[in-house]
Amino acid sequence: MKRFLIIDDDEGMCWALKKALEHENRDILTATSGSDGLALFDAYQIDLILLDIKMQDTNGLDVLQQIRQKNLEVPVLIMTGYSSLSIALQAIEKGATGYITKPVQIPRLKETIQKIFPEDNITEGV
């Protein structure tokens, strides 16, 4: 079973992404702050992180940096409503696997996840 962690200070976004990505072979955890997200990351084996870049309590790039200090392998997809080449480059330089703009296009997100996990039919049934 794959376990995804969504870190976004918008509870509605967390809920919408959780519903869109739920599947019987997948466990979706959500956190509405960077600190709560890091606590969940420490407590569970996480296979994929969807991380908002701009949150009220912290900068998503700082959270990404802390994740990378603990684990270099877990895929992290940065999400933002503030699309800019500069932010995308900073995220990639800090170890992000990919970059998704908001509003999140669910089919595109699922395609991106399928590329990360080609051995699994991760988008099946959703």
Side-chain angles (χ1 to χ4, degrees), residues 22-63:
E22 276 183 331
H23 186 269
E24 63 189 36
N25 295 324
R26 194 175 306 146
D27 184 25
I28 310 288
L29 304 175
T30 63
T32 55
S33 72
S35 56
D36 289 348
L38 288 168
L40 287 170
F41 181 73
D42 288 340
Y44 294 93
Q45 173 64 42
I46 303 296
D47 298 297
L48 174 75
I49 299 172
L50 299 172
L51 175 62
D52 189 16
I53 205 157
K54 188 169 182 161
M55 294 180 279
Q56 290 182 8
D57 74 324
T58 189
N59 179 318
L61 292 177
D62 294 337
V63 175

Side-chain angles (χ1 to χ4, degrees), residues 64-115:
L64 173 61
Q65 189 170 11
Q66 292 177 59
I67 289 167
R68 285 295 172 240
Q69 288 172 354
K70 299 173 184 188
N71 184 319
L72 294 174
E73 302 300 320
V74 65
V76 179
L77 297 176
I78 294 290
M79 303 180 297
T80 185
Y82 307 93
S83 63
S84 82
L85 183 56
S86 170
I87 291 173
L89 290 174
Q90 287 178 44
I92 299 300
E93 286 173 5
K94 290 189 182 271
T97 307
Y99 184 84
I100 296 175
T101 57
K102 291 180 179 180
V104 175
Q105 302 297 317
I106 299 301
R108 181 166 179 238
L109 174 60
K110 289 179 181 179
E111 288 173 12
T112 301
I113 292 170
Q114 185 67 50
K115 288 177 185 174

